[in-house]
Amino acid sequence: MSVDRPRPLVAGNWKMNGLKASAEVLDQIKAGYDDALKGRVDLAICPPATLVAAFAEKTAGSGIGIGGQDCHAKESGAYTGNIAAKMLKDGGAAYVIVGHSERRQYERETDADVRAKAEAAHRTGLIAIVCVGETKDEREAGRTLDVVRGQLKGSVPEGSNGGNLVVAYEPVWAIGTGLTPTAADVAEVHKVIRENLAGIVGPAEQAKVRILYGGSVKPSNAAELMGVADVDGALVGGASLVASDFLGIASAYRA
Ligand code: PEP
């Protein structure tokens, strides 16, 4: 990482996993972070919404941020089952993931939906982690860069900057499969994301936006991925549920 790069961020997406007893995993992550990583890499944990407030209380002042996995675009109202960005913020969250491919796929979220959610996050003072990434078919059809460019253009709101936006490149076919793109493929996509961000957030801010790679990141491949240009951290699914794995990944990413 050169001196002008932002501090790396390793974010864990717990998805629909975790009960009150999982605070034990958070305690282990916090202990490992305090020991060797604090100040060298930022950590975020995005547990299920039921755990956000308790986790935020536990990590207050620790350098570990807590995040939601989704938010509604509206501030409040008759949207049964949804959670507003303001509620996450009220619970102590600092981040929210928007546009994860599982939501794009299972909840049919469009770029416009993702953008509206990111806008809600920004209005509330949350950092939006906006996910983009191609499917296997799109990659095989040679459409990866066009897909990612389109998602970025459609999903990143005006007013985004290095302080309120993180972009996660997550090839859909790499999520939870154990498959990862080559370092060269990751480099190509991250370069295009960085170039496109210049047109969206402006030339000065684009360098400050952290671009995470996500998709089957493990302690064994983290160092190689972090060595790729324009990779500023990782969004980690399965491996973030095991403290030693998550810490192993974060160690590879520390500045
Ligand atoms: C994810 O779902 O954001 C993810 C990266 O999952 P995994 O690390 O399990 O592939």
Side-chain angles (χ1 to χ4, degrees):
M1 198 186 74
S2 65
V3 279
D4 55 352
R5 304 289 319 134
R7 186 189 290 165
L9 169 68
V10 176
N13 172 15
W14 280 22
K15 311 192 184 190
M16 199 169 71
N17 298 290
L19 299 171
K20 275 196 284 185
S22 316
E24 206 182 297
V25 178
L26 183 67
D27 288 341
Q28 291 162 3
I29 290 172
K30 190 167 168 301
Y33 183 69
D34 285 347
D35 266 3
L37 301 172
K38 197 168 178 168
R40 303 182 67 184
V41 53
D42 290 341
L43 293 191
I45 303 284
C46 302
T50 49
L51 298 178
V52 163
F55 278 26
E57 202 169 311
K58 262 185 177 293
T59 52
S62 72
I64 301 177
I66 300 302
Q69 298 175 10
D70 178 47
C71 66
H72 198 276
K74 296 266 168 60
E75 279 196 21
S76 62
Y79 301 100
T80 303
N82 281 294
I83 186 156
K86 206 171 176 178
M87 294 167 181
L88 294 169
K89 178 83 175 166
D90 188 49
Y95 297 87
V96 62
I97 298 170
V98 291
H100 190 280
S101 65
E102 286 153 15
R103 294 205 60 89
R104 290 182 185 262
Q105 185 184 351
Y106 304 137
E107 311 300 328
R108 305 253 185 286
E109 288 186 3
T110 64
D111 287 335
D113 296 329
V114 176
R115 183 191 183 104
K117 288 171 181 227
E119 280 167 356
H122 289 170
R123 278 197 306 274
T124 310
L126 292 175
I127 299 169
I129 303 177
V130 176
C131 301
V132 298
E134 81 287 1
T135 63
K136 185 164 177 281
D137 286 352
E138 289 164 343
R139 174 158 285 270
E140 285 172 357
R143 298 188 47 232
T144 297
L145 298 179
D146 283 346
V147 167
V148 168
R149 278 191 200 103
Q151 288 176 331
L152 267 185
K153 190 163 185 262
S155 309
V156 174
E158 270 177 36
S160 296
N161 56 51
N164 66 15
L165 175 72
V166 172
V167 174
Y169 168 54
E170 298 207 303
V172 180
W173 53 271
I175 294 178
T177 58
L179 303 171
T180 48
T182 64
D185 287 340
V186 175
E188 182 184 40
V189 179
H190 278 234
K191 181 168 181 278
V192 163
I193 291 175
R194 181 79 64 205
E195 286 166 1
N196 277 255
L197 279 174
I200 301 172
V201 304
E205 283 302 308
Q206 56 80 21
K208 300 181 197 158
V209 176
R210 290 180 286 193
I211 307 174
L212 314 184
Y213 167 77
S216 296
V217 179
K218 304 184 274 281
S220 56
N221 61 18
E224 187 191 3
L225 289 163
M226 187 57 196
V228 174
D230 282 312
V231 171
D232 304 309
L235 181 55
V236 185
S240 69
L241 294 164
V242 178
S244 56
D245 286 351
F246 191 60
L247 289 166
I249 292 166
S251 303
Y253 280 75
R254 74 188 149 197

